[in-house]
């Protein structure tokens, strides 16, 4: 009898639990008790749609942007008629100047590492025979950006600049770092890389780009490729004596590249099509920019695709230092989403240091003794952080001006 009683009690308990299990969902969906569920669903929807920036897609957050977020950012730039400053850096001072400027003008920034800049970050005394210093320094700089970018409250694109064919081992090293980072974090270390194979025949240029695009696509890295040649000289790339005809890309070349790269699944790319661009600053009349080439290329591709999309290609503008605002904005109208800046920001950084030295010259002639007295120490004036900070501030101010030219002011909120 005792055994029967215990089993009966167990059966009753199971029935009670089953009743509660079925009753709870029923009650949850009953009209009189549905407020909590509706509120939870609403909160879940609002959370998924929560935006960090009022004027940008929800995928874009403060800090380094990659993959879909990067693509959304560039599409937003193209659709809203602004371009992102892409700034060459050489260390943490110039990196921080970029992000400080972006926080001031209220827009994104592209921090750009060159092969030489990476080597400088690692240390010029380090052996670089196999690009080991360039690789290590660029990765170190990228990790610095990763650590501090979100503190500035702006989207930051981690990019590398011109890589010609002989320098591909540098990109290979950076790609390995991104693949390792991707395995841990689900995104690449770098947002994008530029391959500048414009010295090679078009077919070879795009074939190599396509090979790398297949590698990049697996870890959501965007490719920037160059057609034609950017004149002048910058960081080891010297095209000062190039035939002027190579400074102007043809629409057929852009269309060929667009077709080939779009064959790669998950491909993301931008095109640095030359339209008379020259690195550096030159006297008026020495550079003949023809942004109409970009407009013609967009029209050519659009027609090939059926005409629905008017700006199918995302263009970038190299050799932008010293360009007129009219040329810059006409290029933006043709789908330019980023403009490189180096020469002007180099000068601005130096000019800030020069002005600091001029202002405090009499305090900078010795460790002790100056305008305040023969026995007064001058440490607070020759502390390297003082002059470097002056350089940072001057560079940041120049970038705010650049952002204004690029319509990139107050594009976040």
């Amino acid at each position: 009898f005792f055994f029967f009683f215990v089993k009966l009690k167990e059966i009753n308990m199971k029935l009670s639990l089953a009743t509660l299990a079925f009753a709870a969902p029923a009650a949850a969906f009953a009209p009189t008790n549905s407020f909590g569920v509706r509120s939870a669903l609403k909160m879940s929807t609002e959370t998924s749609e929560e935006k960090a920036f009022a004027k940008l897609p929800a995928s874009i957050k403060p800090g380094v942007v990659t993959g879909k977020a990067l693509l959304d950012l560039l599409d937003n730039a193209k659709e809203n008629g602004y371009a992102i400053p892409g700034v060459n850096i050489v260390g943490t001072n110039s990196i921080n100047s970029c992000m400080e400027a972006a926080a001031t003008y209220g827009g994104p920034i592209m921090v750009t590492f060159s092969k030489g800049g990476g080597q400088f970050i690692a240390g010029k005394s380090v052996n670089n025979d196999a690009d080991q210093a360039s690789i290590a320094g660029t990765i170190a700089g990228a990790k610095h950006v990763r650590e501090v970018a979100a503190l500035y409250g702006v989207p930051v694109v981690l990019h590398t600049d011109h890589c010609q064919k002989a320098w591909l081992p540098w990109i290979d090293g950076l790609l390995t770092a991104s693949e390792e980072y991707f395995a841990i974090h689900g995104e690449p270390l770098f947002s994008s890389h530029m391959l500048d194979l414009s010295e090679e025949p078009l077919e070879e240029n795009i074939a190599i780009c396509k090979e790398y695009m297949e590698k990049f696509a697996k870890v959501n890295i965007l490719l920037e490729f160059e057609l034609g040649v950017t004149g002048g000289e910058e960081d080891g790339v010297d095209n000062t004596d190039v035939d002027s005809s190579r400074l102007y890309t043809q629409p057929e070349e852009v269309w060929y590249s667009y077709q080939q790269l779009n064959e790669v699944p998950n491909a993301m790319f931008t095109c640095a099509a030359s339209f008379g661009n020259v690195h550096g600053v030159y006297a008026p009349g020495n550079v003949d920019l023809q942004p109409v080439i970009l407009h013609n290329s967009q029209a050519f591709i659009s027609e090939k695709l059926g005409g629905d999309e008017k700006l199918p290609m995302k263009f970038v503008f190299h050799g932008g230092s010293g360009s007129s605002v009219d040329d810059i904005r006409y290029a933006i109208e043709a789908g330019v989403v980023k403009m490189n800046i180096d020469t002007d920001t180099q000068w601005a950084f130096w000019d800030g240091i020069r002005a600091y030295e001029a202002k405090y010259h009499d305090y900078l002639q010795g460790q002790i003794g100056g305008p305040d007295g023969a026995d007064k120490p001058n440490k607070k004036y020759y502390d390297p952080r003082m002059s470097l900070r002056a350089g940072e501030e001057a560079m940041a101010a120049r970038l705010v001006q650049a952002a204004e030219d690029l319509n990139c002011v107050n594009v976040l909120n």
Side-chain angles (χ1 to χ4, degrees):
F1 173 81
F2 178 77
F3 174 79
F4 175 78
F5 176 78
V6 170
K7 295 301 290 181
L8 182 63
K9 189 173 183 180
E10 287 178 358
I11 291 169
N12 285 336
M13 288 179 67
K14 288 178 179 178
L15 287 171
S16 298
L17 289 171
T19 302
L20 285 171
F22 283 103
F29 286 98
T32 54
N33 294 310
S34 62
F35 175 78
V37 174
R38 286 202 307 269
S39 297
L41 288 171
K42 182 179 179 183
M43 289 174 63
S44 175
T45 302
E46 288 176 347
T47 300
S48 65
E49 294 179 351
E50 187 176 349
K51 299 172 68 173
F53 305 107
K55 296 180 181 179
L56 298 182
S59 61
I60 304 166
K61 310 295 183 187
V64 175
V65 293
T66 64
K68 183 180 184 302
L70 174 58
L71 202 59
D72 287 346
L73 177 61
L74 298 181
D75 283 337
N76 184 267
K78 187 171 66 169
E79 291 163 7
N80 291 281
Y82 66 89
I84 302 168
V87 190
N88 284 62
I89 58 81
V90 294
T92 57
N93 295 110
S94 47
I95 289 172
N96 295 347
S97 291
C98 291
M99 296 185 289
E100 179 180 348
T104 300
Y105 63 71
I109 188 74
M110 186 174 289
V111 174
T112 306
F113 295 85
S114 66
K115 182 173 175 287
Q119 181 187 9
F120 190 81
I121 291 171
K124 289 289 285 185
S125 65
V126 177
N127 189 316
N128 198 37
D129 289 348
D131 295 328
Q132 62 267 44
S134 292
I135 293 168
T138 305
I139 291 171
K143 289 181 176 179
H144 169 77
V145 176
R146 281 279 180 184
E147 287 296 320
V148 303
L151 301 177
Y152 290 85
V154 298
V156 179
V157 181
L158 261 176
H159 182 62
T160 60
D161 206 7
H162 295 268
C163 177
Q164 53 198 23
K165 189 175 180 179
W167 293 355
L168 286 172
W170 173 52
I171 293 296
D172 293 337
L174 304 183
L175 177 57
T176 297
S178 272
E179 289 169 341
E180 293 171 354
Y181 195 91
F182 187 91
I184 299 170
H185 302 283
E187 67 172 342
L189 177 61
F190 293 90
S191 308
S192 53
H193 296 298
M194 181 197 183
L195 300 186
D196 179 2
L197 305 171
S198 56
E199 293 183 357
E200 316 306 324
L202 176 64
E203 291 76 13
E204 183 180 357
N205 176 353
I206 300 307
I208 296 173
C209 284
K210 192 173 182 180
E211 176 187 334
Y212 274 86
M213 185 75 268
E214 290 170 350
K215 298 175 184 179
F216 291 177
K218 293 176 182 177
V219 289
N220 295 331
I221 293 175
L222 181 141
L223 166 70
E224 177 183 319
F225 66 99
E226 178 153 349
L227 297 177
V229 173
T230 302
E233 189 276 332
E234 181 180 59
D235 212 344
V237 179
D238 189 350
N239 292 322
T240 50
D241 297 323
V242 71
D243 188 310
S244 60
S245 65
R246 298 184 64 194
L247 300 177
Y248 302 95
T249 303
Q250 299 304 309
E252 292 83 1
E253 297 171 324
V254 183
W255 168 236
Y256 173 79
S257 308
Y258 182 92
Q259 286 179 296
Q260 290 295 309
L261 294 176
N262 263 316
E263 291 179 359
V264 178
N266 196 40
M268 300 183 293
F269 54 85
T270 59
C271 175
S274 58
F275 53 99
N277 323 54
V278 176
H279 289 133
V281 177
Y282 296 87
N286 285 3
V287 177
D288 181 23
L289 285 180
Q290 294 291 333
V292 69
I293 288 173
L294 304 184
H295 287 269
N296 293 341
S297 296
Q298 294 284 26
F300 188 88
I301 299 173
S302 179
E303 183 180 357
K304 292 289 187 181
L305 296 175
D308 292 335
E309 188 175 358
K310 300 304 180 186
L311 300 174
M313 178 66 87
K314 297 179 184 69
F315 283 119
V316 298
F317 185 162
H318 279 245
S321 295
S323 300
S324 74
V325 175
D326 287 343
D327 281 340
I328 290 170
R329 292 183 176 169
Y330 188 49
I332 291 172
E333 290 173 10
V336 165
V337 295
K338 183 261 289 191
M339 186 179 84
N340 280 24
I341 306 168
D342 186 21
T343 306
D344 287 350
T345 46
Q346 285 181 343
W347 171 259
F349 197 97
W350 155 248
D351 200 38
I353 293 176
R354 182 203 58 75
Y356 177 85
E357 193 283 332
K359 182 176 181 180
Y360 297 107
H361 176 83
D362 291 345
Y363 293 95
L364 298 172
Q365 304 311 302
Q367 288 183 283
I368 298 175
D372 298 335
D375 60 345
K376 297 293 183 180
N378 295 319
K379 187 177 186 306
K380 66 179 181 180
Y381 298 103
Y382 64 76
D383 181 334
R385 290 171 295 183
M386 301 300 291
S387 57
L388 288 173
R389 178 57 186 153
E392 288 178 352
E393 290 174 332
M395 179 174 169
R398 179 63 184 85
L399 281 173
V400 171
Q401 179 188 334
E404 292 170 353
D405 295 343
L406 296 171
N407 298 326
C408 196
V409 175
N410 297 325
V411 298
L412 305 181
N413 297 300

